[in-house]
Amino acid sequence: MAKSPWKRFAKKSLEERLALIHQLGLLSPKEWEDLAQNQTLPVSTANQMSENVLGTLALPFAILPELLVDGRTYTVPMAIEEPSVVAAATYAASLFNRSGGCHTNIHNRLMLGHITLTDVKEPQTVVAILEDHQEELLTLANAAYPSIVKRGGGARAITVKSLGEGFVSLYLYVDTQEAMGANMLNTMLEALTPQVESLTGYKSLMAILSNYALESLVTATIELDWRFLSRNTQEAEAMANRICQASQLAQIDPYRAVTHNKGIFNGLDALLLATGNDWRAIEAGAHAYASQSGSYRGLTQWRNHKTKQKLIGHITLPLPLATKGGSIGLNPTVTAAHTLLGQPTAKELMAVAASLCLAQNFAAMKALVTDGIQKGHMNLQLRSLALLAGAKEHEVDDLVSSLKAHQPANLALAQALLKQKRKAHNK
């Protein structure tokens, strides 16, 4: 087996990491130069992207070097400030990759929006009228956004439903191709509204995209060999059983489920931020999906296959991700993130994101049911503490070593130890 160029990547200096990225040709020369010189989003561009702009806010831009998904290895960009998240995902991915990687199924890739009528006196009559005019309304929707039709997308279906209490909603399903599609949906829906009102004789309350993207579901699955949990088969089986119990707990206790899912979003949000996707919309839809049974539940399920000696995990959630539109083409670091990923399609990015969710969840649960969550976090937390105390880059490692020997560590202790070290050094 060829030696991985990513070996001990976390131990390399920043300059060495950038040199490896350059050597592997994962970025264009311009993108690499911008990253190396920390040329991120220009304020002049930011001023056009938002209102009342004063500047920009940076986050650490990191990578998960290798994540094997559907037979293809991806370098995954992650923008996040929380200690240990990237390290945990990288660890889990290394085990997943050795077990053949994640396999995914994209159930569909449609976005949905609705026109809702109010004060409807004969709802079933209105439903029947709109259903009878589906083809006419689909044609009108596509005429409102012809560019998406030229690219192979467009309005695909219409359903109509009486919601009770005088509400009737028409739901429009659109293939938005590589875009998330909010503007596309809203343009089509607003174009349909006058005709819907004319056909039914009722006024529309609103016409708007829905972020509950049940037509953009993706499933990721991993079959992790026990031998990667422990060389001792009995220990591996016991650990797999505990992970399955942790998964079961997140299905029956919403107090655990919320934190369970937050851990999943540690990785997902980092990828969404890095790739310029609307993490707020994705989170809202996924949390709604986690509540579809009427009780809030964990998004992953794990089971132990004793015959195969494998821990099998899967996750299904709505991920209407985009590779075009919005700020994706405006923010240089976001553009570089898509290059690092190999310019994936929207469906490929959905697959990567779901697989990252599974890796992040596995890493968290393994830590929780073995050593506890703090052990894995501690080193990076101490590094953050050292930086908060004012340590320079060349002072951090030494200060972290001292903090480990003087538990419990806190900011006052870190500042005192740093002062002592500097005083001793200056003598």
Side-chain angles (χ1 to χ4, degrees):
M1 182 180 293
K3 182 179 178 181
S4 171
W6 299 106
K7 189 173 182 180
R8 297 181 65 81
F9 185 72
K11 300 296 183 183
K12 296 181 185 295
S13 68
L14 176 58
E15 291 74 18
E16 289 172 331
R17 292 179 202 146
L18 286 166
L20 180 59
I21 294 293
H22 185 61
Q23 177 188 334
L24 295 175
L26 295 178
L27 293 173
S28 71
K30 177 65 165 61
E31 289 169 334
W32 183 87
E33 185 177 348
D34 285 347
L35 192 61
Q37 296 181 1
N38 199 28
Q39 298 295 318
T40 57
L41 177 65
V43 174
S44 58
T45 303
N47 193 43
Q48 303 302 315
M49 293 169 62
S50 188
E51 296 292 325
N52 302 337
V53 169
L54 300 178
T56 61
L57 172 68
L59 284 171
F61 182 76
I63 59 169
L64 188 172
E66 296 178 294
L67 180 64
L68 183 59
V69 181
D70 297 327
R72 177 179 172 185
T73 300
Y74 293 87
T75 297
V76 183
M78 300 176 71
I80 189 166
E81 82 299 337
E82 185 174 338
S84 81
V85 168
V86 179
T90 301
Y91 166 72
S94 70
L95 301 188
F96 283 18
N97 296 347
R98 290 154 69 189
S99 286
C102 289
H103 298 277
T104 69
N105 175 33
I106 309 297
H107 300 253
N108 211 336
R109 179 60 174 79
L110 299 177
M111 291 300 290
L112 173 150
H114 61 95
I115 300 171
T116 300
L117 305 174
T118 60
D119 302 319
V120 178
K121 299 296 191 296
E122 305 90 13
Q124 294 309 316
T125 300
V126 168
V127 168
I129 290 171
L130 293 175
E131 287 178 341
D132 287 344
H133 289 81
Q134 286 184 58
E135 292 304 319
E136 172 193 340
L137 293 170
L138 286 171
T139 300
L140 188 58
N142 283 324
Y145 217 101
S147 61
I148 190 61
V149 178
K150 290 180 181 179
R151 296 198 296 272
R156 294 287 187 254
I158 284 174
T159 59
V160 190
K161 185 177 181 180
S162 171
L163 304 176
E165 300 186 21
F167 292 104
V168 171
S169 280
L170 176 147
Y171 298 99
L172 178 69
Y173 300 82
V174 179
D175 179 351
T176 60
Q177 294 288 290
E178 297 302 304
M180 184 268 189
N183 291 333
M184 193 184 306
L185 260 294
N186 293 339
T187 296
M188 288 183 172
L189 292 165
E190 290 179 7
L192 289 182
T193 297
Q195 183 65 1
V196 169
E197 291 179 337
S198 175
L199 288 169
T200 63
Y202 289 98
K203 285 291 183 182
S204 163
L205 176 66
M206 64 177 69
I208 187 69
L209 164 94
S210 171
N211 290 124
Y212 194 26
L214 292 181
E215 296 300 320
S216 288
L217 293 177
V218 54
T219 296
T221 304
I222 181 67
E223 294 191 3
L224 184 62
D225 293 343
W226 282 2
R227 60 195 173 98
F228 297 129
L229 298 177
S230 174
R231 292 177 182 176
N232 182 297
T233 302
Q234 289 183 327
E235 289 181 1
E237 182 178 5
M239 188 185 302
N241 283 334
R242 287 174 66 80
I243 289 172
C244 292
Q245 287 177 324
S247 171
Q248 183 184 7
L249 177 62
Q251 297 300 310
I252 62 176
D253 182 1
Y255 287 95
R256 172 58 203 149
V258 170
T259 312
H260 180 97
N261 289 343
K262 186 270 180 185
I264 291 170
F265 282 106
N266 278 342
L268 180 58
D269 283 353
L271 174 60
L272 299 179
L273 279 167
T275 56
N277 273 276
D278 187 346
W279 57 270
R280 302 161 300 275
I282 301 300
E283 276 215 20
H287 287 307
Y289 189 75
S291 304
Q292 62 178 324
S293 68
S295 177
Y296 189 87
R297 299 177 183 272
L299 287 165
T300 59
Q301 292 83 40
W302 294 83
R303 62 187 178 88
N304 206 6
H305 198 301
K306 295 184 179 182
T307 304
K308 289 185 176 182
Q309 294 193 346
K310 291 178 183 289
L311 174 65
I312 301 174
H314 79 271
I315 184 170
T316 299
L317 73 169
L319 287 176
L321 305 190
T323 60
K324 305 291 182 186
S327 66
I328 292 172
L330 299 175
N331 191 323
T333 311
V334 169
T335 301
H338 285 266
T339 303
L340 282 169
L341 281 161
Q343 302 298 347
T345 64
K347 288 183 177 180
E348 288 170 340
L349 186 55
M350 290 167 67
V352 171
S355 301
L356 176 59
C357 289
L358 208 52
Q360 205 77 59
N361 179 244
F362 165 79
M365 290 204 300
K366 181 178 180 294
L368 282 168
V369 302
T370 53
D371 296 326
I373 204 70
Q374 285 303 95
K375 182 177 179 180
H377 283 190
M378 189 53 64
N379 193 54
L380 289 172
Q381 287 176 333
L382 292 179
R383 293 185 70 85
S384 295
L385 194 59
L387 291 169
L388 283 172
K392 304 298 183 184
E393 186 174 353
H394 67 277
E395 299 172 313
V396 170
D397 288 341
D398 185 37
L399 182 53
V400 167
S401 295
S402 295
L403 286 168
K404 287 180 179 178
H406 291 81
Q407 295 294 321
N410 55 51
L411 182 57
L413 175 62
Q415 290 170 332
L417 288 173
L418 180 61
K419 184 176 181 181
Q420 289 175 13
K421 290 177 180 295
R422 287 176 174 174
K423 186 176 180 180
H425 179 74
N426 291 331
K427 281 185 178 180

